[in-house]
Structure formats: structure tokens, C-alpha cells
Amino acid sequence: MPGRKKKRRVIKTAHEIPKRRKRAIEEALAAHEPANNPDWDRGAEWAPLRFMRKRIGPGSFRTVHVPLLNVSMGDQWPIPVTVFHGSRPGPTINILGAVHGDELTGPSACTHLLSTKFTEPGGALDPETMAGTVRIIPVVNLPGFRSKSRYLPDGRDLNRSFPGSPTSNTTRRVAHQLWTTLMEDADAIIDFHTAAKGRSNMPQVRVNLAHPASYLLAKAFGAEVVLDSEPPRGSLRRAANEEGIPCITYEGGAADTLQQSAVKIAFEGALNVLRSLKMIPGRPARPAFRLLASGSRWLRASEGGLLDVFVREGTMMREGDVVATISDPGSPGMSVDIVAPEDGLMISIATNPFVTAGMPVGHFLPLNKHSSLVGRHVDEEGRLQMAAAKGDPIWREEQDVEEVTVEESTSEEAEWVTAVFDLEQEEKEEADSDPLPDQEADS
Ligand SMILES: [Zn+2]
């Protein structure tokens, strides 16, 4: 546009992802074409929704029960699903918790979203001002939730059983029922988890960055820490990605506990996604920086005994900092320190003080050259600050996000790039690995 100054801004980018992975992500992004969905246009026909033989009119919401098992005898394990049917056309988004029954961040975040603060007229999830359909499923694995267990009653892991089978074991039948009634027609899925028993996770999004629609979903969520990972076999994320459905897993906190900051980041992230998709009014919040990481390592106990942990999940470590000390009541006077092998972030930390040699004490994300950038965003206790955990979300534009990519790799292969970003060509410039000089310019 002549006469109009185009805003330019320097964004620090670093690529230390293994070359092959980096290429796969770049190729996937380059080949990605945004979905063209004419049925989401404002003028498209938008009818009442039929779900489990219940009618949900445009601009309304309703809680419907979905049985986990299709049986005429015995418990069907009905779970509540609250369906918001907006007044205008748009995509269908699933927000769910407690696929693992003892992981309470999701149920709590979903419960917040279903509170009148959000659902009343003028609230963020007021169906009158909503486009598309939002399905909130606070507790997917209700039998596990009731028995405070990760698993379904047959002892199997639901998140290793998707897309399931109607004739296989109980858990796979449940997976099949969930998949066919709730998942396979979704346009995106946000799956809330916590660390498994014995550990606590800092808030983070797990996503396959080579699945472009999921990559965009992860960005829209607005979390500071995004871990690139291929989804485990049988996970909902994998089944969804294989069918082309974008899906992210959010991890925050620990099993059997409620950590309010992890809960807040979860529901703020879900709202960010809905805002980014223009399904609800308002602008999505953006973090001050974004850490894209792939590759991490477990710090393991070298000896057995009692573990004294000095840091929490999300603590920024300097090389040589003591993470934990192991002592043994059977060998008084002896102790062993576990130290950070280099600068990095404790993305997960053990909460169970009993250790034997080889047990993971923490999940460590080496930061290589980016520790100073990340170090600028820690609080007095040395923990990474998450914007969404604070009182009010900090509103930022996408272009103000400092993005770094971290991979544990041999530093000889590492490339360090400080690039000038043309805001309208962010993805293109991101793919550019030629070093460019620092500069700030108007054009
Ligand atoms: Zn889980």
C-alpha cells in the first residue's frame, strides 16, 4: 500500500532441530493448504444440531450423555458432554479432559469453561455470539476418574487404544465408541493431560510439528513451551492426526493434584484457540516468546534412596546446579547430587521421594545457546513465567512473539540464525537458514 509504513520487527530465531526433522517440518508446512470449508461461511445453511438423538438449536447449549459402552445390560458408563451450538456456521472443536482418570487439570479447566461466568449472555462461550460448535467433555474416562485411576477398569490405557475396535477388549471398545461418536467428525481436538503419577509437568503443548494443522493449533493455544513429538501409538493425538484432524495435547501439573496455574493456562489456551478460529469474539493472547523444542533427556538417579528435590517443574537450570540429592537411611553420611548437565529447563520433575538407580528424577530440556533468552522470562524462584498463569492475559500480536527452536543435538551441526522478519512472510523466513545480519527497518 503506497504511503503506508509497513511495521517490521526483528525476531530472534534459532534452528537446532536435526536437519532431517527440520526439513520434514518445512516441507509439510510448504505443502499445507489452508482448509477451504464453504460450509463455515456466514451465508451457509446452519441447522439445529442432532447429537445422540438430542436437538441443540443454533445459539444454545445443552449437556448430553454419551455412553462409553454400547450395551443393553450392565453399566453403559454415560459421560456428560456439553455441546455449544453457535448461532453461525463454523468448525467443530472438542475440548476434553481425563482421558487418564487421575489427571485433574482437564476436568478442572473444563469445569471453569462451563461455569456461568463463561456461558452466560455476554460470556466468552455465550452460544449466541459463537460461530461453529464446541463440545466440552470434562471427564472422558469416568470409571477411572471415580476410582482415581489412570486406566479403565480392565487395567488398560485408553490413550494407547485409539481408534479402538467394537469387538476387542473393553478399553478398545470404549475408544471406538468415543472415536465414532465424538472424535472422527471434529475439526480440531484439544486434549488436556498432566504428568503421570510420581512426576509433575510444567505447562506445555505436545504436538507433531510436521502436521501443519496441528502446528497452527499449537500456536493458537498460545503456550510458551511447545514440544515437537510424534504421538505415541494408540494415542488420540495419533489417531486424529492420521485422519487429518489437528490435535494437541496439553500437559500441566501432576496426577491427583490440582494446580491452579496449570488449570488457568489450560482454559485460557482453549479460549485462545476459539478466538484464533474466530469462533468466539475477542483477540487471542500471545506469549512473550515461544520455545519450540524437540528432544529432551531424562536425568536418572545413579543410586537408590530418598530423593530430596530442590527445584520445581519449569525451573531454569544453569550447568552444574543441583537438581536433587539422594541419600539413604541405610548409609548415613553419604549422599549423591544430581546436577544439571548443561543450561536447560526442568520440564518435568519427580514428586515421589523413593528412588532406585535408573529411575527418572527429571525431564530436562537442554537450551544450548538460548538460555539467555529463556532466562529473561523467569521469576525470582528461577521458574519460567507463563503469561496465561498471571491475573489478566497479556494481549500481544502474533508478530511480537520471539520464537526459538531447540533440539538436543551435537553443537557442530547446530545453526544459529538471527533473521529479519517480514511480518507477512513469517513462515517463509522461518524456513530460511542463511544467516542474516541484525537489522531493524521500515519499508
Ligand atoms: Zn495423561
Side-chain angles (χ1 to χ4, degrees), residues 7 69 86 130 133 177 188 196 203 213 219 238 242 244 249 305 337 339-340 347 354 377 418:
K7 198 176 145 206
L69 284 174
M130 185 185 285
T133 304
Q177 170 78 351
K219 275 190 172 187
R238 179 151 177 158
E242 280 174 355
T249 304
D337 287 344
V339 299
I347 51 179
F354 287 98
H377 299 281
T418 303

Side-chain angles (χ1 to χ4, degrees), residues 157-163 172 230-239 242:
D157 189 332
L158 178 57
N159 210 29
R160 299 292 179 271
S161 305
F162 283 101
R172 289 175 74 85
E230 305 249 15
R233 193 168 292 281
S235 64
L236 176 59
R237 186 155 70 86
R238 179 151 177 158
E242 280 174 355

Side-chain angles (χ1 to χ4, degrees), residues 99-100 103 150 159 192-196 251:
V99 165
H100 293 136
E103 300 181 358
R150 172 185 181 89
N159 210 29
F192 292 141
H193 286 253
T194 73
E251 295 262 355

Side-chain angles (χ1 to χ4, degrees), residues 80-247:
V81 176
T82 302
V83 183
F84 294 79
H85 195 45
S87 61
R88 289 176 286 119
T92 297
I93 307 297
N94 288 354
I95 301 167
L96 46 121
V99 165
H100 293 136
D102 59 350
E103 300 181 358
L104 308 178
T105 296
S108 180
C110 290
T111 305
H112 273 91
L113 290 171
L114 294 173
S115 66
T116 49
K117 180 188 172 218
F118 290 108
T119 61
E120 68 191 2
L125 293 179
D126 176 4
E128 276 296 337
T129 57
M130 185 185 285
T133 304
V134 177
R135 296 190 287 220
I136 298 181
I137 313 148
V139 180
V140 172
N141 175 1
L142 189 62
F145 179 80
R146 288 197 174 131
S147 57
K148 304 180 182 68
S149 164
R150 172 185 181 89
Y151 305 103
L152 275 161
D154 66 350
R156 291 191 172 86
D157 189 332
L158 178 57
N159 210 29
R160 299 292 179 271
S161 305
F162 283 101
S165 154
T167 54
S168 183
N169 62 55
T170 306
T171 298
R172 289 175 74 85
R173 286 177 193 224
V174 167
H176 173 79
Q177 170 78 351
L178 288 165
W179 180 258
T180 51
T181 53
L182 281 165
M183 305 299 169
E184 67 179 353
D185 66 338
D187 294 300
I189 300 170
I190 303 169
D191 189 10
F192 292 141
H193 286 253
T194 73
K197 273 194 193 6
R199 293 200 288 274
S200 186
N201 281 345
M202 74 176 296
Q204 57 189 260
V205 167
R206 303 230 175 129
V207 62
N208 179 359
L209 290 179
H211 189 259
S214 296
Y215 187 170
L216 298 173
L217 184 64
K219 275 190 172 187
F221 193 86
E224 281 83 351
V225 178
V226 177
L227 299 187
D228 173 37
S229 76
E230 305 249 15
R233 193 168 292 281
S235 64
L236 176 59
R237 186 155 70 86
R238 179 151 177 158
N241 282 182
E242 280 174 355
E243 290 303 312
I245 303 169
C247 181

Side-chain angles (χ1 to χ4, degrees), residues 258-369:
L258 264 188
Q259 206 183 87
Q260 282 315 313
S261 57
V263 169
K264 187 160 189 294
I265 293 167
F267 71 73
E268 294 285 3
L271 292 173
N272 275 339
V273 166
L274 301 180
R275 290 184 191 113
S276 295
L277 292 168
K278 309 250 188 289
M279 292 175 68
I280 60 172
R283 298 170 77 181
R286 297 282 172 235
F289 69 100
R290 189 185 288 131
L291 184 63
L292 295 183
S294 115
S296 51
R297 73 168 74 144
W298 288 101
L299 302 183
R300 293 182 184 275
S302 54
E303 308 285 336
L306 289 175
L307 186 73
D308 213 349
V309 180
F310 300 127
V311 301
R312 292 188 60 191
E313 69 281 2
T315 302
M316 169 84 199
M317 308 296 298
R318 297 290 174 185
E319 184 180 341
D321 283 353
V322 179
V323 174
T325 291
I326 302 170
S327 56
D328 176 17
S331 315
M334 283 174 65
S335 69
V336 171
D337 287 344
I338 296 169
V339 299
E342 55 190 298
D343 291 358
L345 203 54
M346 294 304 310
I347 51 179
S348 177
I349 194 81
T351 53
N352 187 341
F354 287 98
V355 290
T356 48
M359 275 177 66
V361 168
H363 198 180
F364 184 75
L365 182 68
L367 287 178
N368 299 326
K369 297 164 187 159

